[in-house]
Amino acid sequence: MKQEYLIGIDAGNTSSKVVIFDTEGTIVSTASTPSMHFKKRGEGFEEFDVDELWKLISNCIREALQKAAVAPETIRGIGVTSFGNGVVVVGKNGETIAPGVFSQDHRADDIIAMYQETGVYEKINDIVKGTLFAGEPGPIIRWYKEHEPEVYQKIGGILMFKDYIMYRLTGEFATDMNCFGGSFMIDMDTMEYSRELMKLYGIEEVYDALPKLAGEPSEIVGRVTAEASALTGLKEGTPVVAGMMDILACLVGAGATEEGVYTAVAGSWCINETHSTRIIPNASSNMPYLKKGEYLNCSYTGASGSNYEWFTRVLSGEAKKEAKDRGISYYDVLDELIEMVPIEKAKVFFSPFVAQPSIHVNAKANFFNITMNTSYADICYSVAEGVAFIHKHHVDFLKNAGLPLSTIRLTGGTARSRVWNQIFANVLQVPIIGVDCEETGALGVAIAAGIGAGVYNGYEEAFVHAVKTKEAVLPDVSTYPIYEKRYKEWCVLNEVMMKYWDMKKELSL
């Protein structure tokens, strides 16, 4: 039998990856783009060039195919995932009319304040079953209406980051229920578009620019066009499925659909999620899930592994020098430093708020309790512990809402570290299970493509073939009292900082 393959495209805030898998979930080849962030044109702006995005993605598809040395006709299906929120607005013919917007963009803070002052904010949250923030497409599009009406008047298509890639592959304006619902553009009671919601956002004029809404991530929404085939090397007619937001893709790629299993994504964002038949009040979001009648219950903030990314970029010079001298990865050096700090003697705390949205609109990262005796290892340890603590903040919210927890599937860059896995297990007090795949999100959406193309009969069959988990990292019960005490102190520090963050606007005048 001829070997068949699936493509998962994971389009992220920092880079995008094209991954070719065989049907057993093994990575055959990958290709990735560089960062595409524009220089900021003002406070709160996080933008990218949408035309450059497609150029880079199409080149990566061709590169991945060449590396894999597979015939284009053996690619059975393509799935695309990306972060939710942010937005790409295009003209009626798909032409570029404005830069793309990343989800960390908070230019629309004034729009959120206006919604809150006029009483609209709670009405929107009631419809979308989540907590609206400035990086959502609704407030951003309203911002265009208020501040760049020349863009607003040209809007002919409203797409998520992944949807734009799908459009360039297929020529179709299409999206999926999960990503668009999780970006607060759907009435969660009806699971359909809502003119009332668009009116509350104040953008009812662009209702007809909403894309075709697929009911399931595995639904085929289009096929590779002749133009896209010429650019990418893909076979014309290859099916492209609706896909899903990256956080659901990570859950699928981790095979974490059983009751009591949470997925924690320690990546750019701090994502914590499970599923149920319930809408959880005050959750970050309650998105459409894989099955009708079930919801992806999420609690999140805008920084997890990104705190470590910042730390390693700005403060890891000592580790990099030692790594070079020893001929090893500086991440291994950092792991050694983190592990050498006895938690019962740890003094330094880190607030892991390098990005928004966070626990407060003005929250920023901080180190506390640094003295002349503080070592570099103490600083390294505090960053790892602080990231674990913000995940605990969200996991506790879901647990306290009555959602059962037995194990956590940990994904994201930091999940590759044994030391970080142990800290997570000890802080969260549950076994941590990793996934033996470095591209979990891409695997999740490739699985959806495989279901849509008929490679698998459903998710459970796909998990048997394509998802491989690592041995569980068990928590050390003896650490519980120490971490509980430190977490309580960490929470007190954040509560104290709330007063300062509340006054920040006033102090800046």
Side-chain angles (χ1 to χ4, degrees):
M1 181 182 293
K2 182 187 294 185
Q3 178 66 60
E4 296 178 324
Y5 304 92
L6 299 164
I7 290 181
I9 301 175
D10 188 350
N13 281 291
T14 51
S15 70
S16 299
K17 291 186 178 180
V18 176
V19 188
I20 298 179
F21 297 91
D22 66 22
T23 55
E24 296 299 309
T26 302
I27 294 176
V28 179
S29 70
T30 66
S32 60
T33 70
S35 174
M36 301 182 303
H37 282 254
F38 274 165
K39 182 178 179 181
K40 290 187 180 183
R41 58 184 172 115
E43 177 63 28
F45 286 76
E46 296 287 349
E47 298 176 304
F48 63 93
D49 185 326
V50 292
D51 294 320
E52 181 69 8
L53 166 66
W54 172 237
K55 178 182 176 181
L56 292 170
I57 290 288
S58 58
N59 288 340
C60 281
I61 294 172
R62 182 174 288 280
E63 180 184 344
L65 286 169
Q66 290 172 346
K67 284 182 177 178
V70 299
E73 60 269 20
T74 63
I75 304 295
R76 288 290 304 275
I78 302 167
V80 189
T81 186
S82 73
F83 55 86
N85 310 309
V87 75
V88 177
V89 291
V90 296
K92 289 183 172 57
N93 297 314
E95 70 275 17
T96 299
I97 59 173
V101 180
F102 285 113
S103 55
Q104 300 102 322
D105 190 285
H106 58 100
R107 75 183 73 183
D109 282 344
D110 61 332
I111 302 298
I112 294 294
M114 180 267 291
Y115 288 154
Q116 291 170 334
E117 291 165 4
T118 58
V120 166
Y121 187 75
E122 290 304 324
K123 293 179 181 178
I124 292 173
N125 286 344
D126 183 59
I127 292 174
V128 301
K129 311 303 182 195
T131 305
L132 186 69
F133 70 96
E136 311 271 6
I140 296 169
I141 295 170
R142 178 62 182 269
W143 183 91
Y144 278 122
K145 182 177 180 179
E146 299 294 332
H147 299 281
E148 295 184 2
E150 68 280 7
V151 171
Y152 184 78
Q153 291 163 9
K154 294 177 183 176
I155 294 176
I158 298 171
L159 303 170
M160 294 292 95
F161 194 79
K162 73 174 188 63
D163 302 336
Y164 179 74
I165 297 169
M166 289 159 49
Y167 162 70
R168 294 304 298 258
L169 284 169
T170 67
E172 301 285 345
F173 284 170
T175 192
D176 72 288
M177 190 80 71
N178 169 258
C179 195
F180 231 58
S183 301
F184 297 171
M185 294 298 284
I186 291 173
D187 185 324
M188 288 295 293
D189 285 327
T190 64
M191 294 291 185
E192 295 177 352
Y193 291 138
S194 165
R195 290 189 182 275
E196 178 188 2
L197 177 60
M198 296 292 278
K199 188 173 182 179
L200 288 169
Y201 280 135
I203 56 173
E204 60 268 35
E205 299 89 354
V206 295
Y207 178 87
D208 291 334
L210 296 171
K212 181 178 75 172
L213 187 60
E216 297 182 3
S218 58
E219 181 179 329
I220 296 173
V221 295
R223 295 179 181 273
V224 172
T225 63
E227 180 182 1
S229 173
L231 285 170
T232 63
L234 291 166
K235 183 177 183 297
E236 183 180 354
T238 303
V240 178
V241 299
M244 61 194 98
M245 195 186 292
D246 55 2
I247 62 177
L248 180 56
C250 284
L251 183 151
V252 172
T257 56
E258 293 181 18
E259 184 177 358
V261 179
Y262 285 23
T263 301
V265 185
S268 296
W269 281 51
C270 171
I271 305 296
N272 308 272
E273 58 186 347
T274 186
H275 62 94
S276 73
T277 57
R278 299 166 48 205
I279 294 289
I280 305 301
N282 301 314
S284 300
S285 63
N286 295 283
M287 304 182 191
Y289 182 58
L290 299 172
K291 306 170 185 175
K292 290 182 179 179
E294 290 195 33
Y295 303 93
L296 185 66
N297 309 120
C298 305
S299 188
Y300 52 68
T301 41
S304 175
S306 47
N307 288 281
Y308 205 45
E309 179 189 346
W310 163 80
F311 175 75
T312 55
R313 176 167 46 85
V314 177
L315 296 174
S316 66
E318 182 177 329
K320 289 178 179 177
K321 181 178 182 302
E322 181 177 341
K324 185 177 180 180
D325 292 342
R326 293 169 59 188
I328 62 175
S329 165
Y330 70 87
Y331 286 110
D332 292 335
V333 174
L334 291 169
D335 277 354
E336 291 174 4
L337 290 166
I338 292 167
E339 200 167 24
M340 68 187 285
V341 176
I343 59 170
E344 66 274 9
K345 295 183 179 180
K347 297 290 190 295
V348 179
F349 288 94
F350 176 65
S351 296
F353 310 131
V354 298
Q356 288 287 350
S358 193
I359 61 173
H360 189 287
V361 69
N362 292 321
K364 298 291 186 289
N366 295 281
F367 289 103
F368 296 94
N369 296 339
I370 293 177
T371 71
M372 288 290 289
N373 296 319
T374 300
S375 69
Y376 182 60
D378 292 328
I379 300 293
C380 296
Y381 173 79
S382 72
V383 174
E385 183 188 64
V387 171
F389 279 169
I390 190 61
H391 278 273
K392 176 175 171 57
H393 168 82
H394 294 295
V395 168
D396 283 356
F397 170 83
L398 296 172
K399 284 169 56 182
N400 293 336
L403 300 175
L405 171 62
S406 58
T407 61
I408 290 177
R409 299 280 172 96
L410 182 63
T411 71
T414 56
R416 299 168 191 164
S417 164
R418 175 190 57 80
V419 174
W420 280 70
N421 274 263
Q422 191 64 63
I423 292 173
F424 269 69
N426 295 344
V427 168
L428 299 172
Q429 301 184 5
V430 292
I432 300 294
I433 298 176
V435 181
D436 193 14
C437 177
E438 293 192 355
E439 302 298 341
T440 315
L443 176 60
V445 80
I447 285 172
I451 294 169
V455 174
Y456 313 116
N457 290 327
Y459 290 100
E460 296 308 317
E461 180 184 311
F463 296 159
V464 170
H465 287 277
V467 177
K468 300 168 183 65
T469 56
K470 299 178 181 178
E471 183 178 352
V473 176
L474 302 178
D476 180 351
V477 177
S478 70
T479 66
Y480 289 4
I482 304 170
Y483 276 120
E484 287 170 358
K485 183 173 180 286
R486 285 187 59 77
Y487 178 69
K488 184 177 180 180
E489 189 172 347
W490 181 84
C491 290
V492 168
L493 287 169
N494 290 329
E495 289 168 9
V496 170
M497 288 301 297
M498 288 285 186
K499 297 177 183 179
Y500 169 68
W501 294 328
D502 283 339
M503 296 173 62
K504 195 68 166 61
K505 186 173 182 180
E506 178 183 331
L507 291 170
S508 65
L509 295 177

